[in-house]
mmCIF file of all heavy atoms in Angstrom:
data_model
loop_
_atom_site.group_PDB
_atom_site.id
_atom_site.type_symbol
_atom_site.label_atom_id
_atom_site.label_comp_id
_atom_site.label_asym_id
_atom_site.label_seq_id
_atom_site.Cartn_x
_atom_site.Cartn_y
_atom_site.Cartn_z
ATOM 1 N N ILE A 558 -9.105 -14.542 -1.259
ATOM 2 C CA ILE A 558 -9.613 -15.092 -2.516
ATOM 3 C C ILE A 558 -11.117 -14.844 -2.547
ATOM 4 O O ILE A 558 -11.842 -15.268 -1.643
ATOM 5 C CB ILE A 558 -9.326 -16.605 -2.631
ATOM 6 C CG1 ILE A 558 -7.856 -16.898 -2.356
ATOM 7 C CG2 ILE A 558 -9.713 -17.114 -4.017
ATOM 8 C CD1 ILE A 558 -7.533 -18.375 -2.222
ATOM 9 N N GLY A 559 -11.597 -14.132 -3.589
ATOM 10 C CA GLY A 559 -13.016 -13.817 -3.682
ATOM 11 C C GLY A 559 -13.426 -13.544 -5.112
ATOM 12 O O GLY A 559 -12.620 -13.663 -6.038
ATOM 13 N N ASP A 560 -14.695 -13.161 -5.291
ATOM 14 C CA ASP A 560 -15.175 -12.955 -6.664
ATOM 15 C C ASP A 560 -16.146 -11.801 -6.810
ATOM 16 O O ASP A 560 -16.393 -11.348 -7.928
ATOM 17 C CB ASP A 560 -15.865 -14.238 -7.175
ATOM 18 C CG ASP A 560 -17.208 -14.467 -6.496
ATOM 19 O OD1 ASP A 560 -17.262 -14.437 -5.252
ATOM 20 O OD2 ASP A 560 -18.205 -14.664 -7.213
ATOM 21 N N GLY A 561 -16.720 -11.306 -5.725
ATOM 22 C CA GLY A 561 -17.819 -10.353 -5.858
ATOM 23 C C GLY A 561 -17.443 -8.926 -5.526
ATOM 24 O O GLY A 561 -16.357 -8.639 -5.023
ATOM 25 N N VAL A 562 -18.386 -8.036 -5.798
ATOM 26 C CA VAL A 562 -18.228 -6.634 -5.420
ATOM 27 C C VAL A 562 -17.976 -6.533 -3.920
ATOM 28 O O VAL A 562 -17.156 -5.734 -3.455
ATOM 29 C CB VAL A 562 -19.487 -5.837 -5.816
ATOM 30 C CG1 VAL A 562 -19.504 -4.466 -5.168
ATOM 31 C CG2 VAL A 562 -19.573 -5.706 -7.335
ATOM 32 N N ASN A 563 -18.685 -7.347 -3.137
ATOM 33 C CA ASN A 563 -18.543 -7.293 -1.683
ATOM 34 C C ASN A 563 -17.177 -7.781 -1.205
ATOM 35 O O ASN A 563 -16.787 -7.528 -0.062
ATOM 36 C CB ASN A 563 -19.650 -8.116 -1.013
ATOM 37 C CG ASN A 563 -19.645 -9.565 -1.466
ATOM 38 O OD1 ASN A 563 -19.552 -9.850 -2.654
ATOM 39 N ND2 ASN A 563 -19.750 -10.484 -0.538
ATOM 40 N N ASP A 564 -16.432 -8.467 -2.062
ATOM 41 C CA ASP A 564 -15.093 -8.934 -1.699
ATOM 42 C C ASP A 564 -14.007 -7.919 -2.057
ATOM 43 O O ASP A 564 -12.870 -8.031 -1.591
ATOM 44 C CB ASP A 564 -14.763 -10.254 -2.426
ATOM 45 C CG ASP A 564 -15.731 -11.361 -2.084
ATOM 46 O OD1 ASP A 564 -16.071 -11.493 -0.896
ATOM 47 O OD2 ASP A 564 -16.161 -12.092 -2.996
ATOM 48 N N ALA A 565 -14.338 -6.936 -2.913
ATOM 49 C CA ALA A 565 -13.322 -6.026 -3.443
ATOM 50 C C ALA A 565 -12.576 -5.255 -2.360
ATOM 51 O O ALA A 565 -11.342 -5.135 -2.440
ATOM 52 C CB ALA A 565 -13.954 -5.075 -4.456
ATOM 53 N N PRO A 566 -13.240 -4.702 -1.334
ATOM 54 C CA PRO A 566 -12.467 -4.002 -0.307
ATOM 55 C C PRO A 566 -11.450 -4.894 0.388
ATOM 56 O O PRO A 566 -10.330 -4.464 0.673
ATOM 57 C CB PRO A 566 -13.550 -3.516 0.668
ATOM 58 C CG PRO A 566 -14.779 -3.388 -0.162
ATOM 59 C CD PRO A 566 -14.701 -4.538 -1.133
ATOM 60 N N ALA A 567 -11.823 -6.136 0.686
ATOM 61 C CA ALA A 567 -10.881 -7.057 1.329
ATOM 62 C C ALA A 567 -9.746 -7.423 0.381
ATOM 63 O O ALA A 567 -8.584 -7.545 0.805
ATOM 64 C CB ALA A 567 -11.616 -8.316 1.796
ATOM 65 N N LEU A 568 -10.055 -7.602 -0.910
ATOM 66 C CA LEU A 568 -9.006 -7.896 -1.894
ATOM 67 C C LEU A 568 -7.996 -6.752 -1.962
ATOM 68 O O LEU A 568 -6.792 -6.980 -2.096
ATOM 69 C CB LEU A 568 -9.629 -8.113 -3.275
ATOM 70 C CG LEU A 568 -10.427 -9.396 -3.487
ATOM 71 C CD1 LEU A 568 -11.197 -9.336 -4.805
ATOM 72 C CD2 LEU A 568 -9.515 -10.615 -3.476
ATOM 73 N N ALA A 569 -8.501 -5.519 -1.869
ATOM 74 C CA ALA A 569 -7.606 -4.360 -1.937
ATOM 75 C C ALA A 569 -6.789 -4.201 -0.663
ATOM 76 O O ALA A 569 -5.628 -3.790 -0.709
ATOM 77 C CB ALA A 569 -8.425 -3.096 -2.195
ATOM 78 N N ALA A 570 -7.384 -4.528 0.484
ATOM 79 C CA ALA A 570 -6.705 -4.320 1.759
ATOM 80 C C ALA A 570 -5.686 -5.406 2.074
ATOM 81 O O ALA A 570 -4.751 -5.174 2.846
ATOM 82 C CB ALA A 570 -7.740 -4.250 2.884
ATOM 83 N N ALA A 571 -5.842 -6.586 1.490
ATOM 84 C CA ALA A 571 -4.994 -7.724 1.830
ATOM 85 C C ALA A 571 -3.576 -7.562 1.296
ATOM 86 O O ALA A 571 -3.316 -6.772 0.390
ATOM 87 C CB ALA A 571 -5.611 -9.008 1.285
ATOM 88 N N HIS A 572 -2.667 -8.345 1.853
ATOM 89 C CA HIS A 572 -1.293 -8.399 1.337
ATOM 90 C C HIS A 572 -1.301 -8.787 -0.127
ATOM 91 O O HIS A 572 -0.608 -8.186 -0.957
ATOM 92 C CB HIS A 572 -0.497 -9.421 2.161
ATOM 93 C CG HIS A 572 0.915 -9.620 1.709
ATOM 94 N ND1 HIS A 572 1.276 -10.597 0.804
ATOM 95 C CD2 HIS A 572 2.054 -8.973 2.027
ATOM 96 C CE1 HIS A 572 2.580 -10.537 0.589
ATOM 97 N NE2 HIS A 572 3.078 -9.564 1.320
ATOM 98 N N THR A 573 -2.131 -9.779 -0.484
ATOM 99 C CA THR A 573 -2.314 -10.190 -1.873
ATOM 100 C C THR A 573 -3.762 -10.629 -2.066
ATOM 101 O O THR A 573 -4.337 -11.270 -1.187
ATOM 102 C CB THR A 573 -1.383 -11.374 -2.237
ATOM 103 O OG1 THR A 573 -0.056 -11.080 -1.822
ATOM 104 C CG2 THR A 573 -1.390 -11.625 -3.743
ATOM 105 N N GLY A 574 -4.351 -10.256 -3.203
ATOM 106 C CA GLY A 574 -5.731 -10.647 -3.495
ATOM 107 C C GLY A 574 -5.822 -11.411 -4.803
ATOM 108 O O GLY A 574 -5.171 -11.053 -5.784
ATOM 109 N N ILE A 575 -6.612 -12.479 -4.805
ATOM 110 C CA ILE A 575 -6.840 -13.280 -6.011
ATOM 111 C C ILE A 575 -8.340 -13.341 -6.273
ATOM 112 O O ILE A 575 -9.127 -13.636 -5.370
ATOM 113 C CB ILE A 575 -6.279 -14.710 -5.869
ATOM 114 C CG1 ILE A 575 -4.762 -14.674 -5.699
ATOM 115 C CG2 ILE A 575 -6.642 -15.560 -7.081
ATOM 116 C CD1 ILE A 575 -4.123 -16.053 -5.563
ATOM 117 N N ALA A 576 -8.749 -13.062 -7.518
ATOM 118 C CA ALA A 576 -10.166 -13.073 -7.889
ATOM 119 C C ALA A 576 -10.461 -14.263 -8.791
ATOM 120 O O ALA A 576 -9.631 -14.665 -9.608
ATOM 121 C CB ALA A 576 -10.540 -11.772 -8.605
ATOM 122 N N MET A 577 -11.660 -14.813 -8.640
ATOM 123 C CA MET A 577 -12.139 -15.863 -9.533
ATOM 124 C C MET A 577 -12.589 -15.186 -10.829
ATOM 125 O O MET A 577 -13.435 -14.289 -10.817
ATOM 126 C CB MET A 577 -13.307 -16.615 -8.899
ATOM 127 C CG MET A 577 -13.007 -17.178 -7.515
ATOM 128 S SD MET A 577 -11.683 -18.419 -7.527
ATOM 129 C CE MET A 577 -12.556 -19.815 -8.232
ATOM 130 N N GLY A 578 -12.037 -15.601 -11.962
ATOM 131 C CA GLY A 578 -12.195 -14.844 -13.193
ATOM 132 C C GLY A 578 -13.483 -15.059 -13.952
ATOM 133 O O GLY A 578 -13.976 -14.146 -14.609
ATOM 134 N N ARG A 579 -14.050 -16.244 -13.885
ATOM 135 C CA ARG A 579 -15.175 -16.554 -14.764
ATOM 136 C C ARG A 579 -16.443 -15.815 -14.355
ATOM 137 O O ARG A 579 -17.167 -15.280 -15.186
ATOM 138 C CB ARG A 579 -15.404 -18.067 -14.785
ATOM 139 C CG ARG A 579 -16.283 -18.542 -15.924
ATOM 140 C CD ARG A 579 -16.195 -20.052 -16.083
ATOM 141 N NE ARG A 579 -14.987 -20.472 -16.789
ATOM 142 C CZ ARG A 579 -14.637 -21.740 -16.966
ATOM 143 N NH1 ARG A 579 -15.380 -22.696 -16.462
ATOM 144 N NH2 ARG A 579 -13.542 -22.046 -17.621
ATOM 145 N N ALA A 580 -16.735 -15.773 -13.064
ATOM 146 C CA ALA A 580 -17.954 -15.119 -12.592
ATOM 147 C C ALA A 580 -17.647 -13.881 -11.765
ATOM 148 O O ALA A 580 -18.535 -13.288 -11.188
ATOM 149 C CB ALA A 580 -18.783 -16.100 -11.754
ATOM 150 N N GLY A 581 -16.386 -13.488 -11.707
ATOM 151 C CA GLY A 581 -16.002 -12.360 -10.877
ATOM 152 C C GLY A 581 -16.536 -11.041 -11.394
ATOM 153 O O GLY A 581 -16.655 -10.832 -12.601
ATOM 154 N N SER A 582 -16.854 -10.136 -10.470
ATOM 155 C CA SER A 582 -17.304 -8.799 -10.858
ATOM 156 C C SER A 582 -16.123 -8.005 -11.415
ATOM 157 O O SER A 582 -14.958 -8.304 -11.133
ATOM 158 C CB SER A 582 -17.887 -8.075 -9.642
ATOM 159 O OG SER A 582 -16.851 -7.773 -8.716
ATOM 160 N N ASP A 583 -16.432 -6.981 -12.211
ATOM 161 C CA ASP A 583 -15.376 -6.134 -12.759
ATOM 162 C C ASP A 583 -14.502 -5.552 -11.662
ATOM 163 O O ASP A 583 -13.281 -5.498 -11.777
ATOM 164 C CB ASP A 583 -15.989 -4.984 -13.574
ATOM 165 C CG ASP A 583 -16.526 -5.460 -14.907
ATOM 166 O OD1 ASP A 583 -16.234 -6.603 -15.276
ATOM 167 O OD2 ASP A 583 -17.240 -4.688 -15.574
ATOM 168 N N LEU A 584 -15.149 -5.099 -10.572
ATOM 169 C CA LEU A 584 -14.392 -4.467 -9.503
ATOM 170 C C LEU A 584 -13.435 -5.455 -8.854
ATOM 171 O O LEU A 584 -12.280 -5.120 -8.576
ATOM 172 C CB LEU A 584 -15.355 -3.897 -8.459
ATOM 173 C CG LEU A 584 -14.686 -3.084 -7.347
ATOM 174 C CD1 LEU A 584 -13.998 -1.854 -7.911
ATOM 175 C CD2 LEU A 584 -15.690 -2.684 -6.281
ATOM 176 N N ALA A 585 -13.888 -6.681 -8.607
ATOM 177 C CA ALA A 585 -13.013 -7.689 -8.004
ATOM 178 C C ALA A 585 -11.848 -8.027 -8.931
ATOM 179 O O ALA A 585 -10.698 -8.143 -8.492
ATOM 180 C CB ALA A 585 -13.815 -8.957 -7.676
ATOM 181 N N LEU A 586 -12.123 -8.167 -10.232
ATOM 182 C CA LEU A 586 -11.078 -8.534 -11.189
ATOM 183 C C LEU A 586 -10.015 -7.454 -11.285
ATOM 184 O O LEU A 586 -8.820 -7.755 -11.405
ATOM 185 C CB LEU A 586 -11.687 -8.792 -12.573
ATOM 186 C CG LEU A 586 -12.658 -9.959 -12.678
ATOM 187 C CD1 LEU A 586 -13.202 -10.082 -14.101
ATOM 188 C CD2 LEU A 586 -12.003 -11.266 -12.266
ATOM 189 N N GLU A 587 -10.432 -6.187 -11.263
ATOM 190 C CA GLU A 587 -9.463 -5.104 -11.404
ATOM 191 C C GLU A 587 -8.738 -4.829 -10.093
ATOM 192 O O GLU A 587 -7.574 -4.435 -10.092
ATOM 193 C CB GLU A 587 -10.164 -3.824 -11.884
ATOM 194 C CG GLU A 587 -10.864 -3.956 -13.229
ATOM 195 C CD GLU A 587 -9.909 -4.201 -14.386
ATOM 196 O OE1 GLU A 587 -8.682 -4.118 -14.191
ATOM 197 O OE2 GLU A 587 -10.394 -4.485 -15.492
ATOM 198 N N THR A 588 -9.400 -5.041 -8.953
ATOM 199 C CA THR A 588 -8.783 -4.775 -7.656
ATOM 200 C C THR A 588 -7.779 -5.853 -7.272
ATOM 201 O O THR A 588 -6.760 -5.559 -6.643
ATOM 202 C CB THR A 588 -9.871 -4.672 -6.566
ATOM 203 O OG1 THR A 588 -10.811 -3.670 -6.935
ATOM 204 C CG2 THR A 588 -9.272 -4.321 -5.219
#
Side-chain angles (χ1 to χ4, degrees):
I558 309 170
D560 72 309
V562 167
N563 58 314
D564 300 317
L568 289 169
H572 178 268
T573 311
I575 297 181
M577 306 297 285
R579 196 166 281 175
S582 69
D583 286 349
L584 186 63
L586 296 179
E587 300 295 352
T588 304

